[in-house]
Amino acid sequence: MTDHHKAAEAYAHLTHGIRENLGQFGQQLIQVFFVGLTIGMMRTVVPALAESEFGVAEGSFMMLTAFVVAFGVVKGALNFVAGRLSERLGRKTVLMLGWVAAIPIPFMILYAPSWSWIVAATVLLGVNQGLAWSMTQTAKMDITRADERGFTMGMNEFSGYVGVAVAGIVTGYMAAAYGPRMGLLIFGLVVIALAIVLTALFVRETLDWAKAEGARHAAGQSTGPIPRYSKNISDTPSTWEVFTLMSWRDRRMAAFSQAGLVEKFVDALVWVFYPVFLYQQGLSLAAIGWVVGIYGFVWGGSQFITGRLSDHVGRRQPIIWGMWICGGGVALTLLGEGVLWWSFAAAVTGLGMALLYPNLSAAVADIAHPNWRGSAIGTYRFWRDLGYGVGALGLGIVAHVGGSVVWGFWFVVIAMFASGAVVWWWGEETHPRLNPDDE
């Protein structure tokens, strides 16, 4: 018996599939919902009250975007670190580290004497999101089958972004009831404490499932179509090897990575300029929470369907159409007025996001070997969430030059249509059933 067969035998007791691992799948969905609640508490109240509560002068677009730039850079870097760390320390340990990093955030918002404290709190938020959201995604990929990958990603992002939307709405009302700082403190502490307790008591380590999948593949015991795994990489690649493969050496991975980076321009826009734009139009915090919440609900809720859809029709077409529909939704925001119109535009934007978002991650997971899939997902998520920083910086510069947040909207529209074209040109179908490796 070869070493590969011995390794496969050692993991024979581990089975893959949602149904077979339903308890842990459910625990990870709860975790990503809490991760979504944590970022969502920074979405409505903080940008809208940047001037009155935290002293950001009106028209200071670069100052306003600074906290999202910091978030994007830190979260992107931590995504990359999380992928590598999780292959050494395990997924559960990295998840817990993410929650510990979040503990000071509500207190920093409560006592913030200036905007710089909000920027610092957002750095910790980036650490929390980079470690915790990455691990909920990677852990679910460990325990599910390849033919469930789109649905798995859809459920993961559905749960997370419903959390973002719920937090945006609830914190709007809590700010009105208790004041913005105290409302965010109460909300944040309850969410973070619950997440830590659930992680400690109920989340299991899933790294062995990834090792089991890799061992079966090496022993020739995999069933079903063989994915078109990247060929120009070693069995146990270095950090630099994975990074360069994802960034430029594999054209498919590069196409998905750049699309991930650009689509975050939309989220940066919704986070920073949407509340400011709507506040300038005379909407209340509660109304802003609902418009931004509709974007989040449609994005989150539709992924329940769009992830499963890609398991049937493939990843590439939903990604391309998602990029273009999302860009169209951003343009619609400026082409009408009133709460109903802005809610409709937010829903169109959310639908585009739902088509592209889970399927970019699923496409990367399709063609990343289980031996280094955690690192591949981490690298993709590095580029994707760096898009927060690049996008927010671009938004700030464009709005500063143009003298209005409206310019930022058009900047994002153009970027989304161009990026979708790159996926159409460079990408290929990655679903193993629809485009298997024939070698």
Side-chain angles (χ1 to χ4, degrees):
M1 183 181 287
T2 67
D3 290 342
H4 290 318
H5 284 87
K6 287 178 182 176
E9 189 71 25
Y11 294 114
H13 63 290
L14 297 176
T15 56
H16 290 79
I18 295 173
R19 190 183 301 275
E20 292 81 354
N21 299 285
L22 195 58
Q24 275 309 295
F25 192 83
Q27 285 296 328
Q28 293 291 343
L29 285 180
I30 293 168
Q31 285 294 318
V32 76
F33 177 72
F34 281 123
V35 179
L37 289 175
T38 308
I39 187 173
M41 73 180 184
M42 300 285 282
R43 287 295 182 101
T44 300
V45 176
V46 171
L49 297 182
E51 181 184 351
S52 61
E53 190 72 30
F54 301 109
V56 177
E58 184 178 357
S60 298
F61 299 115
M62 297 305 294
M63 186 76 162
L64 182 63
T65 56
F67 80 117
V68 179
V69 173
F71 173 80
V73 172
V74 171
K75 188 187 177 195
L78 265 293
N79 282 334
F80 183 66
V81 170
R84 295 303 283 179
L85 270 183
S86 72
E87 288 167 355
R88 292 169 170 80
L89 303 179
R91 321 307 198 197
K92 178 174 178 174
T93 301
V94 176
L95 176 64
M96 183 61 86
L97 288 173
W99 284 120
V100 170
I103 294 170
I105 295 171
F107 296 102
M108 293 177 75
I109 296 169
L110 178 68
Y111 295 114
S114 67
W115 188 247
S116 60
W117 277 51
I118 301 300
V119 175
T122 315
V123 168
L124 288 179
L125 182 67
V127 176
N128 161 257
Q129 299 286 303
L131 296 178
W133 201 311
S134 292
M135 286 308 96
T136 64
Q137 189 179 97
T138 303
K140 282 200 263 317
M141 287 299 185
D142 289 340
I143 61 179
T144 53
R145 298 192 306 269
D147 62 344
E148 298 172 326
R149 208 160 273 147
F151 180 69
T152 298
M153 284 309 310
M155 286 297 293
N156 189 75
E157 304 308 294
F158 161 79
S159 186
Y161 281 95
V162 166
V164 174
V166 167
I169 292 167
V170 171
T171 55
Y173 284 108
M174 289 189 74
Y178 301 104
R181 296 173 186 254
M182 185 56 68
L184 290 177
L185 176 78
I186 296 167
F187 183 86
L189 287 182
V190 169
V191 169
I192 294 163
L194 277 173
I196 288 174
V197 170
L198 290 173
T199 300
L201 297 181
F202 299 111
V203 171
R204 283 185 64 188
E205 180 53 61
T206 61
L207 184 57
D208 280 351
W209 274 263
K211 291 178 179 176
E213 185 183 354
R216 286 167 197 159
H217 179 76
Q221 296 176 0
S222 297
T223 57
I226 302 299
R228 298 174 71 85
Y229 291 137
S230 298
K231 298 290 197 297
N232 54 337
I233 189 167
S234 59
D235 289 341
T236 54
S238 66
T239 301
W240 179 246
E241 202 176 349
V242 177
F243 181 82
T244 56
L245 181 90
M246 295 295 300
S247 304
W248 63 81
R249 289 197 296 113
D250 188 315
R251 197 169 73 167
R252 304 166 302 169
M253 293 296 204
F256 300 140
S257 293
Q258 69 80 31
L261 183 139
V262 173
E263 57 87 3
K264 277 300 176 198
F265 292 9
V266 176
D267 215 30
L269 179 85
V270 172
W271 191 349
V272 185
F273 281 4
Y274 238 60
V276 174
F277 174 76
L278 296 174
Y279 205 57
Q280 289 173 350
Q281 306 302 312
L283 267 62
S284 67
L285 282 178
I288 294 169
W290 275 107
V291 174
V292 175
I294 285 167
Y295 161 75
F297 275 125
V298 173
W299 175 1
S302 300
Q303 286 177 107
F304 187 76
I305 299 164
T306 57
R308 173 62 83 187
L309 175 71
S310 81
D311 287 332
H312 296 286
V313 305
R315 324 292 189 202
R316 183 170 173 265
Q317 289 302 321
I319 291 169
I320 294 168
W321 281 107
M323 298 293 287
W324 291 342
I325 291 169
C326 196
V330 173
L332 283 174
T333 308
L334 303 177
L335 301 179
E337 56 184 33
V339 172
L340 282 178
W341 178 264
W342 290 320
S343 298
F344 168 70
V348 173
T349 308
L351 177 62
M353 271 291 191
L355 280 165
L356 69 91
Y357 203 76
N359 297 321
L360 277 169
S361 293
V364 170
D366 283 338
I367 55 176
H369 192 279
N371 285 0
W372 45 272
R373 184 182 296 140
S375 295
I377 291 173
T379 307
Y380 161 72
R381 288 171 61 86
F382 162 77
W383 284 117
R384 192 193 69 190
D385 289 318
L386 191 63
Y388 275 119
V390 175
L393 191 61
L395 288 170
I397 292 169
V398 169
H400 176 73
V401 171
S404 168
V405 294
V406 170
W407 284 63
F409 282 76
W410 290 118
F411 164 71
V412 171
V413 171
I414 293 166
M416 288 297 284
F417 276 91
S419 181
V422 172
V423 178
W424 176 75
W425 185 254
W426 276 1
E428 72 170 26
E429 183 50 58
T430 61
H431 194 299
R433 176 177 55 79
L434 300 172
N435 191 21
D437 191 339
D438 297 324
E439 292 183 14

